[in-house]
Amino acid sequence: MISLYLYMNLPDIIPIQFGITLIPSNWGSKATIFIFPIVLLLVPTFMSKKTINSQEKSITGRIATEIIMLIVLAVILIMMIGAYYLYFKMI
């Protein structure tokens, strides 16, 4: 929902990459704000318990795979929050 709201209010070109000093170093289309939400929808689809259980037979392997999946989702979520924070900080 945040992405849809932002899409309506963003200019056509937005910063998509920031340097160490948090100064924009690359610019792109405003449609790039949909990358994080799409990834957050696709990753769980491919990492579902049904898929994991069909590929991994040992309980240790399944638990390790689920932990890795949760870490990946957490990193993506943190990146998305950081990107929105930087955008609102620039306004």
Side-chain angles (χ1 to χ4, degrees):
M1 296 305 287
I2 293 172
S3 296
L4 289 174
Y5 171 77
L6 287 177
Y7 186 80
M8 302 289 209
N9 296 313
L10 286 175
D12 290 335
I13 298 175
I14 60 170
I16 58 172
Q17 183 178 9
F18 296 87
I20 295 173
T21 59
L22 298 180
I23 296 173
S25 60
N26 198 359
W27 300 81
S29 169
K30 67 181 181 179
T32 57
I33 66 167
F34 293 110
I35 291 173
F36 288 125
I38 290 170
V39 169
L40 284 172
L41 290 173
L42 291 179
V43 168
T45 303
F46 293 112
M47 299 291 284
S48 69
K49 288 185 182 224
K50 187 175 185 179
T51 305
I52 291 170
N53 289 339
S54 69
Q55 294 175 357
E56 186 61 52
K57 301 301 179 202
S58 70
I59 187 82
T60 309
R62 281 188 263 162
I63 292 172
T65 305
E66 288 186 25
I67 290 172
I68 291 169
M69 178 190 68
L70 289 174
I71 290 171
V72 167
L73 288 174
V75 167
I76 292 170
L77 184 61
I78 290 168
M79 289 171 56
M80 185 173 76
I81 291 169
Y84 288 144
Y85 170 76
L86 286 174
Y87 171 73
F88 285 116
K89 186 177 174 184
M90 291 175 56
I91 298 179

